[in-house]
Amino acid sequence: MFESAADPLLWNMIGNLTSLLLLEVRRELWLNSPNASAGSLRSSSAFITDAMIMIPIQSIWVPQFRGFGDLNVNESDLAVLMNGRQSSLVSRDVLLRKNSWMVSRPKIKLWMVRLTTMVLLWTCVLQLTAIGDIWGPRILRRWPAFLTPSYNSPLAVNESSPVIFVDKILLPPKRIYKNNGYLMVSCNGGLNQMRGAICDMVAIARYLNVTLIIPELDKTSFWNDPSEFQDIFDVDHFITSLKDEVRILKELPPKLKETVSRGLVYSMPPVSWSDISYYENQILPLIQKHKVIHLNRTDARLANNGLPLAIQRLRCKVNYVSLRFTPQIEELGRRIIRILRQQGPFMVLHLRYEMDMLAFSGCTQGCTPEEADELTRMRYAYPWWKEKVINSDMKRKDGLCPLTPEETTLLLRALGIDSNFQIHIAAGEIFGGERRMKALSAAYPRLVKKETLLGNSDLRYFQNHSSQMAALDYLVSLESDIFVPTYDGNMDKVVEGHRRYLGFKKTILLDRKRLVDLIDQYTNGTLSWDEFSWSVKATHTERMGNPSRRVVIPDRPKEEDCFYANPQECLPQPDKP
């Protein structure tokens, strides 16, 4: 009974307050209008009278008039005005004779009316807040129909369907700091080599308190990909997500941009695997002197170890939060994953048996003499590949060659991977084509690639853009049930570290030196199949992407564990070292 009795009173209070506010506005407009007359007010008389009738004179309206010491209106005048529907409208001149001086008063007196209205409004709000627990549910059910979605309305919530809650996106606050200058960078290498470089350059810019210009991607390497940064990564998200760390611009300010366009910019390659003191003592003074400098090589230019914890964690933030692919790439990657998931669990095999890797490494195992000559010619064609004369057999025995498709087939069978397991090949064109893939396809007939899962129309915008195609492989590799890299290239390292960051997802890290020796013993008959299989499994029991510490080799950073393969500063670690 309390609720049913309270509802009309509540709505009456709200109606009275609204009417009072509207009436005060009309009255002030009438009293202060130089062209107003009784005739001009007659069209509004019904509204004003109705509004006043709703308000008790003694409790609200009269105190409103009496509250103003300089406004002399009595109850008899109000009674005449309130009977506007039953008698002639009170002339504006009647009130003006009693208050002839009011029109000449400054209009600033309006603030008194507004103040009184606000006091009443806040009084009602406080009263409603105090009794909200009692009346709240009842009030909400009595909202006007246009504010309440009907069951047929698209706004209505179906109770049988799941409710999706969207987290509010909170943008980080902008970091304010004295800008020491501008840093331009040109990344080199493939997608994942450039990815690590971008993370390094952001950390360096943050430490030096400089403004970073969106990095330029490599367009002259073997892959010859013309993609810009914004073609692969969500550039606006990149800038916004890092604004609490470092200022990032899409381009230089106009004056500096003009200077750079004339070729008047200091350009240099930083020293590889340098600690942060190198950038503070050598690079920062150059930036302060020239206002802007250009670092023209960025691969592996920051040390793996010995850096401040804040720098290491910023590298993780850039890699796992800020470097998000474009919506088009993300959506197509999710589509590939959905298609694979519909067929059950899947493994991603990064079969790095591609022409560029074989030419660079000098590995020719299983190649014909003609193919070996082709790879050698390619290696000499690229001057930045320093090593030219390579002994393929020695390099393979040292575990420095990618596994061949035939060696990979033996590996998967020895690990006990079922022949019906779905395997996604994350790679470009396999060198040697179907001839080299014959053994693997026979052992695992459910081999798929993105080109076989999607139509030509889906990939037409990605053709001839190797970095964008590599981005699709990256997304699928992250989501796979098992990831097996046959080499330890840049993609393998970055994906390994990202899968650790996502919860130490299963990643089989091959001991290629031991594996090649076991394969050779099995091939020449020294080991039986059971012995070979047992040895392969035993070798890799502790190499599944579990928590571990990076191997640090002082003065030999190229041989130690890569930061991006095991970003331990950003991960939960075991108790033992």
Side-chain angles (χ1 to χ4, degrees):
M1 291 181 63
F2 179 79
E3 287 187 4
S4 61
D7 285 348
L9 177 59
L10 177 63
W11 287 108
N12 189 40
M13 290 171 60
I14 296 174
N16 289 347
L17 180 61
T18 305
S19 300
L20 173 62
L21 180 59
L22 293 174
L23 182 58
E24 290 287 350
V25 173
R26 289 290 188 94
R27 184 178 65 82
E28 289 300 324
L29 290 174
W30 172 52
L31 291 176
N32 289 278
S33 174
N35 300 320
S37 64
S40 64
L41 186 62
R42 188 167 292 111
S43 60
S44 303
S45 61
F47 169 81
I48 296 176
T49 308
D50 285 346
M52 291 179 63
I53 290 173
M54 294 178 64
I55 307 173
I57 296 176
Q58 296 297 329
S59 62
I60 298 179
W61 180 247
V62 173
Q64 284 283 323
F65 279 80
R66 291 177 177 174
F68 302 112
D70 49 1
L71 183 60
N72 184 20
V73 180
N74 56 38
E75 283 90 337
S76 61
D77 292 330
L78 291 174
V80 173
L81 186 60
M82 290 177 61
N83 291 327
R85 286 188 175 184
Q86 300 175 4
S87 61
S88 61
L89 182 68
V90 176
S91 170
R92 177 172 180 252
D93 297 337
V94 174
L95 290 177
L96 290 180
R97 281 195 297 271
K98 289 190 175 186
N99 304 277
S100 58
W101 45 268
M102 181 176 177
V103 177
S104 63
R105 299 281 295 187
K107 292 185 179 181
I108 197 171
K109 292 295 183 179
L110 284 175
W111 74 269
M112 300 179 70
V113 176
R114 295 170 181 166
L115 179 61
T116 305
T117 303
M118 290 301 297
V119 170
L120 288 173
L121 177 61
W122 276 109
T123 301
C124 290
V125 169
L126 292 175
Q127 292 295 328
L128 291 174
T129 302
I131 59 177
D133 292 338
I134 300 176
W135 289 352
R138 185 75 171 176
I139 295 171
L140 293 177
R141 291 195 296 269
R142 296 289 299 275
W143 280 120
F146 72 92
L147 292 178
T148 306
S150 64
Y151 289 104
N152 297 324
S153 167
L155 297 177
V157 177
N158 184 357
E159 295 183 359
S160 62
S161 63
V163 179
I164 300 176
F165 296 94
V166 179
D167 293 335
K168 184 178 180 181
I169 299 176
L170 298 177
L171 298 179
K174 182 179 179 180
R175 177 172 171 257
I176 306 299
Y177 61 93
K178 180 182 177 181
N179 181 34
N180 287 322
Y182 297 85
L183 179 63
M184 299 174 60
V185 296
S186 293
C187 302
N188 56 291
L191 172 65
N192 295 286
Q193 182 171 313
M194 293 190 291
R195 186 185 185 102
I198 293 169
C199 299
D200 292 348
M201 293 301 111
V202 170
I204 291 168
R206 166 64 174 84
Y207 192 85
L208 300 182
N209 284 335
V210 299
T211 297
L212 177 68
I213 307 303
I214 288 294
E216 180 185 13
L217 303 188
D218 192 345
K219 303 179 183 63
T220 61
S221 63
F222 166 80
W223 298 274
N224 197 28
D225 187 342
S227 298
E228 300 287 353
F229 185 97
Q230 61 269 20
D231 298 324
I232 300 176
F233 299 107
D234 187 335
V235 63
D236 293 325
H237 172 74
F238 178 73
I239 294 173
T240 303
S241 64
L242 290 170
K243 72 176 186 177
D244 60 331
E245 299 285 356
V246 64
R247 184 186 181 207
I248 302 175
L249 299 179
K250 294 182 180 180
E251 58 183 17
L252 286 167
K255 290 184 178 180
L256 288 176
K257 184 178 179 181
E258 182 181 354
T259 301
V260 171
S261 66
R262 297 199 305 266
L264 303 177
V265 60
Y266 188 87
S267 183
M268 61 171 290
V271 177
S272 299
W273 289 293
S274 298
D275 59 25
I276 202 66
S277 63
Y278 164 79
Y279 290 94
E280 183 177 18
N281 299 326
Q282 302 293 325
I283 303 301
L284 181 58
L286 293 174
I287 297 176
Q288 293 172 328
K289 177 181 178 180
H290 299 283
K291 302 301 182 184
V292 55
I293 70 165
H294 173 224
L295 301 183
N296 52 24
R297 293 188 70 84
T298 57
D299 58 314
R301 304 295 154 159
L302 193 59
N304 293 310
N305 304 288
L307 299 178
L309 182 61
I311 294 295
Q312 301 290 58
R313 289 183 174 174
L314 179 56
R315 295 167 94 180
C316 292
K317 177 182 178 180
V318 180
N319 197 15
Y320 307 133
V321 177
S322 301
L323 282 178
R324 188 170 67 188
F325 294 120
T326 63
Q328 295 80 4
I329 294 177
E330 293 272 351
E331 175 55 34
L332 194 56
R334 286 192 293 266
R335 185 177 174 188
I336 296 174
I337 294 167
R338 284 196 301 268
I339 294 173
L340 291 167
R341 286 283 177 221
Q342 289 172 357
Q343 304 300 320
F346 68 96
M347 169 198 295
V348 166
L349 178 65
H350 187 212
L351 189 59
R352 193 66 170 97
Y353 202 76
E354 298 160 292
M355 186 176 186
D356 65 296
M357 176 51 64
L358 298 179
F360 172 76
S361 62
C363 298
T364 59
Q365 176 74 14
C367 295
T368 65
E370 294 76 16
E371 290 173 337
D373 290 341
E374 182 180 6
L375 295 174
T376 301
R377 288 194 299 271
M378 180 179 178
R379 183 166 63 255
Y380 277 89
Y382 289 91
W384 48 85
W385 290 353
K386 304 299 183 182
E387 194 175 10
K388 302 300 183 182
V389 180
I390 300 175
N391 186 322
S392 177
D393 292 335
M394 290 296 296
K395 202 161 189 178
R396 175 177 175 271
K397 290 184 180 297
D398 289 337
L400 300 178
C401 287
L403 293 185
T404 68
E406 296 85 358
E407 292 170 339
T408 303
T409 304
L410 292 175
L411 164 72
L412 297 180
R413 289 179 55 205
L415 289 173
I417 305 298
D418 190 271
S419 60
N420 289 321
F421 203 80
Q422 186 178 202
I423 300 178
H424 179 272
I425 303 294
E429 183 178 356
I430 302 301
F431 189 68
E434 293 184 3
R435 177 180 66 86
R436 301 304 302 270
M437 291 293 292
K438 183 177 180 180
L440 185 59
S441 299
Y444 294 94
R446 296 184 66 193
L447 287 179
V448 295
K449 297 183 69 174
K450 53 184 176 294
E451 292 83 357
T452 61
L453 296 174
L454 300 174
N456 292 331
S457 59
D458 298 314
L459 293 172
R460 66 180 182 273
Y461 296 113
F462 299 88
Q463 298 294 341
N464 302 320
H465 295 84
S466 59
S467 292
Q468 297 184 42
M469 296 287 273
L472 295 175
D473 285 336
Y474 187 94
L475 291 172
V476 179
S477 298
L478 290 184
E479 295 299 321
S480 64
D481 297 282
I482 307 173
F483 177 63
V484 181
T486 60
Y487 191 63
D488 58 352
N490 292 291
M491 175 178 173
D492 307 298
K493 294 174 182 175
V494 177
V495 170
E496 175 192 344
H498 204 155
R499 287 174 66 88
R500 289 177 184 269
Y501 181 81
L502 294 175
F504 299 100
K505 303 176 75 171
K506 189 173 184 179
T507 303
I508 302 179
L509 306 173
L510 303 181
D511 183 345
R512 290 189 307 281
K513 184 175 182 178
R514 172 64 174 156
L515 191 57
V516 165
D517 180 57
L518 291 174
I519 289 174
D520 289 344
Q521 291 186 56
Y522 170 71
T523 302
N524 62 30
T526 304
L527 293 177
S528 67
W529 174 257
D530 290 339
E531 292 172 329
F532 171 69
S533 178
W534 182 89
S535 297
V536 170
K537 291 176 181 177
T539 299
H540 296 93
T541 299
E542 299 298 326
R543 300 176 64 89
M544 297 291 175
N546 302 322
S548 62
R549 299 286 182 179
R550 283 197 306 272
V551 175
V552 180
I553 305 177
D555 301 324
R556 290 190 296 171
K558 190 174 181 179
E559 300 177 25
E560 65 184 10
D561 288 347
C562 174
F563 170 81
Y564 293 106
N566 186 8
Q568 62 189 32
E569 293 85 348
C570 311
L571 308 174
Q573 292 296 316
D575 295 333
K576 62 181 181 179

